[in-house]
Amino acid sequence: MGAAAARASCCIVCGTAAPERIERLLLSLATASPHVLVYLVDDARHPGLAALAGRYGVHYRRQPDWPGHARIHNRVLREAAGAGSAYHLLLRPDIGLPVDAVARMVAYMEQHLDVGLLAPRVQGPDGRLVPMCSLLPGPLELLLGRCFPLLHRSSGRLARYQLHASGYSRVMDVPVPTACCLLMRMETLLRAGMFDERFLLRFDTVDLARRTARIARTVFVPHVTVVRDPAHVGGGWRVRSACWWRRCVSAWRYFNKWGWLHDGERDRINARALRQLGPAQGRQDGVIPAGTDVAG
């Protein structure tokens, strides 16, 4: 990967993913990106992960409690920044990486110095697109998505929120990128203030993205594709129930910080993103009514 690769780091928070899935990911990183500084965070007390990390020469960090991904990532980011990392990759354990994915993402950011966050195209194991980028969230859309999902989908609001009109076939500036595979410029992160540790479950990325938008671009690139296979990551009904509650608490904190019905910055950022997609998506005088869009 050259000089840029030597200044890149990566964080994998293992969660409930099977150790076999983690090993496949580590093998992929070791093969394609041997100079990337990898941090493996064990937040579920998996037996054998420490030995696995030692086998692949990556940094193992055990997390005995669960303070949230934002706090975990901030700890790793500080360590990676101290080690001289210029780019940092957030990587979920359910992602499969092509051999050249990291190199191409770093190369794009090297060529575009105004980009602070970079998200690749995500597809499922069947090759179908998984639309993971979105507009900034608003409470109305969050309520519709949770309580009336069929109406949310049939009305076209979900498609607009997830930027379907783009076809995910071109480079575009996005208000909120995917967090499952996200390359970040370390300098931009430090200037933006890193993650707000009050937020969990997607809202930490939403909050970071809108603060980053004040100083740099957040870009989606279709020419780098990764594969997401959630079947590799477990979690029963207790986990899902806890996630639902944490999402509600995080949403409440997020809207208290940025505004519920009145959020002018959200309107401007979303309107700018929709204008890229053409007049059909940017109607209503190019402005999205406050409270229109939510985190999925």
Side-chain angles (χ1 to χ4, degrees), residues 9-59:
S9 54
C10 172
C11 179
I12 305 167
V13 181
C14 299
T16 57
E20 300 79 33
R21 170 69 256 185
I22 303 296
E23 183 166 15
R24 282 195 291 271
L25 189 53
L26 291 178
L27 179 60
S28 176
L29 283 168
T31 302
S33 314
H35 302 297
V36 173
L37 189 64
V38 179
Y39 295 88
L40 191 65
V41 180
D42 179 7
D43 60 334
R45 302 180 184 179
H46 272 304
L49 275 186
L52 182 65
R55 193 154 64 246
Y56 284 90
V58 306
H59 296 274

Side-chain angles (χ1 to χ4, degrees), residues 263-275:
D263 183 349
E265 185 176 55
R266 175 179 67 209
D267 296 343
R268 289 191 297 273
I269 292 174
N270 285 349
R272 185 170 63 240
L274 290 177
R275 280 196 295 269

Side-chain angles (χ1 to χ4, degrees), residues 24-296:
R24 282 195 291 271
L25 189 53
L26 291 178
L27 179 60
S28 176
L29 283 168
T31 302
S33 314
H35 302 297
V36 173
L37 189 64
V38 179
Y39 295 88
L40 191 65
V41 180
D42 179 7
D43 60 334
R45 302 180 184 179
H46 272 304
L49 275 186
L52 182 65
R55 193 154 64 246
Y56 284 90
V58 306
H59 296 274
Y60 174 79
R61 299 290 181 268
R62 187 175 175 209
Q63 187 65 52
D65 55 350
W66 194 80
H69 285 172
R71 186 171 298 177
I72 291 173
H73 286 312
N74 280 348
R75 289 173 181 172
V76 173
L77 280 166
R78 293 186 188 100
E79 189 172 344
S85 176
Y87 302 97
H88 188 75
L89 179 66
L90 300 187
L91 195 58
R92 281 179 54 100
D94 57 359
I95 291 296
L97 282 175
V99 292
D100 61 345
V102 179
R104 297 179 72 183
M105 292 170 70
V106 169
Y108 188 94
M109 294 192 80
E110 288 280 284
Q111 295 164 11
H112 299 82
L113 300 181
D114 58 342
V115 175
L117 303 177
L118 182 70
R121 184 181 188 273
V122 182
Q123 68 181 35
D126 58 359
R128 297 179 61 182
L129 170 73
V130 181
M132 298 290 288
C133 299
S134 72
L135 301 174
L136 286 173
L140 176 59
E141 225 55 38
L142 182 61
L143 180 65
L144 286 174
R146 172 59 59 181
C147 301
F148 306 100
L150 293 179
L151 175 62
H152 193 213
R153 187 178 299 109
S154 63
S155 67
R157 298 176 73 102
L158 177 62
R160 185 175 70 161
Y161 167 65
Q162 294 181 334
L163 306 174
H164 288 193
S166 68
Y168 284 79
S169 59
R170 54 181 168 170
V171 174
M172 59 180 177
D173 288 72
V174 294
V176 183
T178 175
C180 66
C181 182
L182 178 63
L183 185 66
M184 307 179 291
R185 190 183 302 274
M186 187 68 76
E187 179 186 6
T188 302
L189 269 179
L190 297 177
R191 287 179 59 197
M194 298 195 293
F195 288 98
D196 188 325
E197 297 178 5
R198 293 174 295 173
F199 302 131
L200 309 170
L201 299 173
R202 175 76 168 166
F203 284 98
D204 51 5
T205 305
V206 174
D207 175 80
L208 176 65
R210 70 180 293 163
R211 285 185 285 115
T212 299
R214 297 171 175 175
I215 57 176
R217 295 169 60 204
T218 297
V219 172
F220 162 83
V221 292
H223 59 275
V224 180
T225 300
V226 299
V227 179
R228 187 184 183 204
D229 187 2
H232 283 293
V233 180
W237 70 269
R238 291 181 184 275
V239 173
R240 292 193 296 271
S241 297
C243 286
W244 180 84
W245 173 247
R246 288 167 177 163
R247 182 182 291 272
C248 289
V249 171
S250 198
W252 181 272
R253 292 172 178 171
Y254 173 84
F255 293 125
N256 278 342
K257 175 178 179 178
W258 294 105
W260 289 76
L261 296 180
H262 301 288
D263 183 349
E265 185 176 55
R266 175 179 67 209
D267 296 343
R268 289 191 297 273
I269 292 174
N270 285 349
R272 185 170 63 240
L274 290 177
R275 280 196 295 269
Q276 296 181 90
L277 307 183
Q281 292 295 312
R283 284 178 188 156
Q284 302 172 341
D285 297 326
V287 177
I288 305 172
T292 295
D293 310 294
V294 332

